[in-house]
Amino acid sequence: LFPISTHPAQQPPTSLRVLILRNNSRANIADGKDFLQLDREEYAVTEEALTAARLPAISVAVESIGFVTRERLREHLAHFKPHCIHVCGHGSSRGIELVASTGDAVDLLNSQGMAQLLSEAGIERLALLILNSCDSG
């Protein structure tokens, strides 16, 4: 018989940190895009994450931020160190739409930009990244 894996067994996780990014920018509304009803999605994600809290020896923390700028995202990543990120909001084939730090404009965050923010925060890998936005590819 051959062993299934030659790697040592990994310890099960003891914590789960989920970061929810909710974005509706004023620029989207000015451009005629719908103001998304993100409360229900945030509630559903939070409920699912808290289901894991019922498992023995797992602590769960959920943090949600709205009207996300690149700087706010950078701060939350560095502070919270999430295992999972759930993004809900507007997007395009060029990236997810963040609120630009200049106010009403849109700042597109693509995969390279997200990787850079994660790296700057010292996050080497995520367990899960969900992008729920129109045309996010």
Side-chain angles (χ1 to χ4, degrees):
L1 294 173
F2 296 98
I4 294 173
S5 173
T6 58
H7 299 287
Q10 289 184 314
Q11 295 296 318
T14 58
S15 66
L16 174 64
R17 290 183 302 278
V18 179
L19 179 61
I20 302 171
L21 308 178
R22 302 169 44 224
N23 243 0
N24 272 316
S25 74
R26 289 180 292 274
N28 288 333
I29 307 309
D31 288 342
K33 291 185 179 176
D34 291 334
F35 192 81
L36 301 174
Q37 301 297 319
L38 302 176
D39 294 341
R40 293 168 85 190
E41 187 167 352
E42 177 184 8
Y43 177 80
V45 171
T46 300
E47 285 297 305
E48 288 299 319
L50 293 177
T51 299
R54 296 185 194 122
L55 299 173
I58 292 194
S59 67
V60 175
V62 178
E63 189 170 294
S64 176
I65 57 174
F67 291 98
V68 183
T69 64
R70 200 173 288 248
E71 187 56 38
R72 285 188 73 201
L73 178 54
R74 182 179 285 114
E75 291 169 5
H76 283 269
L77 290 173
H79 167 75
F80 191 58
K81 303 278 192 220
H83 299 108
C84 304
I85 299 175
H86 182 98
V87 180
C88 45
H90 291 289
S92 73
S93 61
R94 297 184 340 242
I96 57 172
E97 295 182 4
L98 303 180
V99 178
S101 58
T102 57
D104 290 343
V106 170
D107 177 15
L108 288 175
L109 180 66
N110 61 21
S111 58
Q112 293 86 5
M114 179 64 91
Q116 180 180 349
L117 290 174
L118 292 168
S119 176
E120 289 171 3
I123 300 170
E124 295 181 17
R125 66 191 314 181
L126 289 173
L128 181 64
L129 173 63
I130 298 172
L131 302 175
N132 184 13
S133 64
C134 297
D135 303 318
S136 60

